[in-house]
């Protein structure tokens, strides 16, 4: 009896995780297109990437490089050709893609499509994260660097203890602390209560979007669960990192100019 229940439970968690990833990754892709003034909107990540054209566009925007021209034909063979070009481009960037082939994208393989988008996010958004005074060695280190950055910024906040990119973010306080650490004028931290996760999450997401222009990739309801999806949270938190790094660089340049 127990094992059936466990299997059901694991299956449910897996579905929850995939549904959160699907939402976050779709929002993330649309955010990349929007910021680059490209009129593309992905509705369903499992079907809209089929022809390979949006995927090729996405890679061009992220890398700043030009890929071979996509084939505009409407047949399966054209779709496979475009997705092959996208995958070859990633391989040329030393991105490890072993199990994902063009046919997986054309056939809408949900697990592998989510895996592919995650690989792209890791390569173009997370692997560039570097901490001062720490030697950067590999992509694996980039998620550790992001975690260390979060720990460092939120260390002095009550009720915040960032140990991972899942459970530590459920009550929303860590997001608020990250914003407050850089922009104390935007968050009234002492008024937040740990037992109001949805309120806390929406507060951080709204402030980040309205005041900092950081797109709302996550829904509070998906995060306020015992184990929210790690990849989704990491994707969103990396936007904070990049935003505040740019802010810091801007301030450093200002200081130099005033001197």
């Amino acid at each position: 009896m127990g094992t059936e229940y466990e299997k059901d439970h694991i299956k449910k968690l897996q579905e929850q995780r995939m549904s959160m990833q699907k939402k976050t990754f779709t929002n993330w892709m649309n955010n990349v297109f929007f910021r680059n003034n490209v009129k593309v909107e992905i509705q369903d990540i499992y079907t809209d990437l089929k022809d390979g054209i949006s995927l090729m566009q996405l890679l061009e925007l992220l890398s700043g490089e030009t890929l071979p021209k996509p084939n505009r034909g409407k047949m399966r063979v054209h779709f496979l050709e475009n997705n092959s070009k996208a995958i070859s481009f990633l391989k040329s960037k030393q991105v490890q893609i072993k199990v994902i082939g063009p046919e997986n994208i054309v056939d809408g393989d949900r697990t592998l499509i989510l895996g592919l988008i995650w690989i792209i996010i890791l390569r173009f958004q997370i692997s560039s994260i570097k901490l001062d005074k720490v030697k950067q060695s590999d992509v694996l280190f980039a998620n550790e660097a992001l975690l260390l950055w979060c720990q460092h910024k939120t260390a002095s906040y009550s009720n915040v203890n960032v140990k991972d990119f899942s459970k530590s973010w459920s009550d929303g306080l860590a997001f608020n602390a990250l914003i407050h650490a850089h922009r104390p004028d935007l968050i009234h931290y002492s008024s937040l209560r740990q037992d109001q996760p949805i309120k806390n999450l929406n507060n951080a997401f709204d402030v980040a979007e309205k005041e900092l222009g950081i797109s709302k990739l996550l829904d509070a309801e998906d995060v306020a669960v015992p184990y929210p999806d790690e990849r989704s949270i990491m994707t969103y938190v990396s936007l904070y990192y990049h935003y505040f790094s740019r802010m810091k660089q801007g301030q450093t340049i200002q200081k130099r100019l005033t001197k």
Side-chain angles (χ1 to χ4, degrees):
M1 184 68 196
T3 52
E4 275 310 308
Y5 171 76
E6 279 162 20
K7 273 184 204 161
D8 276 354
H9 183 62
I10 289 167
K11 196 178 166 196
K12 211 169 145 187
L13 281 177
Q14 215 165 0
E15 277 166 10
Q16 246 178 5
R17 214 184 62 223
M18 280 178 75
S19 131
M20 186 174 173
Q21 273 181 30
K22 183 189 181 187
K23 255 194 247 182
T24 310
F25 294 175
T26 305
N27 290 339
W28 175 78
M29 287 177 75
N30 286 331
N31 182 40
V32 174
F33 291 130
F34 175 73
R35 288 194 177 282
N36 288 281
N37 297 318
V38 174
K39 288 187 173 22
V40 171
E41 192 177 348
I42 304 293
Q43 300 285 340
D44 186 332
I45 208 168
Y46 299 144
T47 52
D48 294 357
L49 299 183
K50 197 176 184 162
D51 63 8
I53 294 173
S54 303
L55 190 58
M56 291 177 74
Q57 268 180 306
L58 179 78
L59 291 172
E60 288 193 328
L61 295 172
L62 291 169
S63 66
E65 294 178 38
T66 311
L67 272 76
K69 262 196 162 11
N71 192 318
R72 297 275 168 187
K74 296 282 176 233
M75 289 163 67
R76 182 181 170 86
V77 58
H78 305 133
F79 296 173
L80 288 168
E81 184 191 319
N82 291 339
N83 282 300
S84 282
K85 288 173 185 168
I87 289 173
S88 300
F89 175 76
L90 283 168
K91 286 181 175 164
S92 77
K93 295 271 161 267
Q94 276 68 57
V95 177
Q96 297 297 316
I97 302 182
K98 291 191 176 77
V99 290
I100 304 164
E103 62 288 344
N104 301 121
I105 305 167
V106 177
D107 295 335
D109 184 315
R110 302 186 329 168
T111 309
L112 291 181
I113 288 171
L114 291 176
L116 175 69
I117 302 302
W118 173 241
I119 287 170
I120 292 171
I121 291 171
L122 261 184
R123 171 64 178 79
F124 293 100
Q125 189 169 303
I126 296 178
S127 71
S128 61
I129 291 174
K130 293 178 175 62
L131 291 183
D132 309 332
K133 312 178 203 55
V134 179
K135 279 218 291 281
Q136 185 76 5
S137 51
D138 54 9
V139 169
L140 196 152
F141 192 69
N143 11 1
E144 291 172 1
L146 185 59
L147 189 63
L148 281 171
W149 178 76
C150 295
Q151 288 169 339
H152 174 63
K153 295 293 175 191
T154 61
S156 62
Y157 288 83
S158 56
N159 299 324
V160 176
N161 183 9
V162 178
K163 291 180 174 169
D164 53 37
F165 284 108
S166 181
K167 207 179 163 73
S168 302
W169 302 82
S170 295
D171 62 14
L173 291 176
F175 293 108
N176 283 284
L178 265 188
I179 298 171
H180 187 272
H182 296 89
R183 289 286 308 271
D185 55 315
L186 297 179
I187 302 270
H188 187 28
Y189 190 82
S190 58
S191 71
L192 302 173
R193 289 181 30 198
Q194 203 170 12
D195 59 359
Q196 297 181 325
I198 299 283
K199 193 177 170 189
N200 299 338
L201 289 159
N202 281 325
N203 183 58
F205 298 166
D206 290 344
V207 168
E209 188 164 53
K210 288 192 187 89
E211 304 292 337
L212 311 175
I214 295 174
S215 264
K216 194 173 172 179
L217 301 187
L218 309 174
D219 286 334
E221 291 69 20
D222 293 328
V223 184
V225 296
Y227 295 98
D229 174 60
E230 283 190 285
R231 292 178 174 184
S232 301
I233 288 182
M234 213 185 293
T235 301
Y236 180 60
V237 171
S238 67
L239 296 183
Y240 282 57
Y241 170 84
H242 288 298
Y243 176 83
F244 290 124
S245 294
R246 283 196 302 272
M247 188 177 100
K248 194 178 154 194
Q249 281 165 351
Q251 286 166 346
T252 313
I253 293 166
Q254 261 330 104
K255 274 181 199 158
R256 279 193 204 130
L257 292 174
T258 9
K259 274 182 190 168

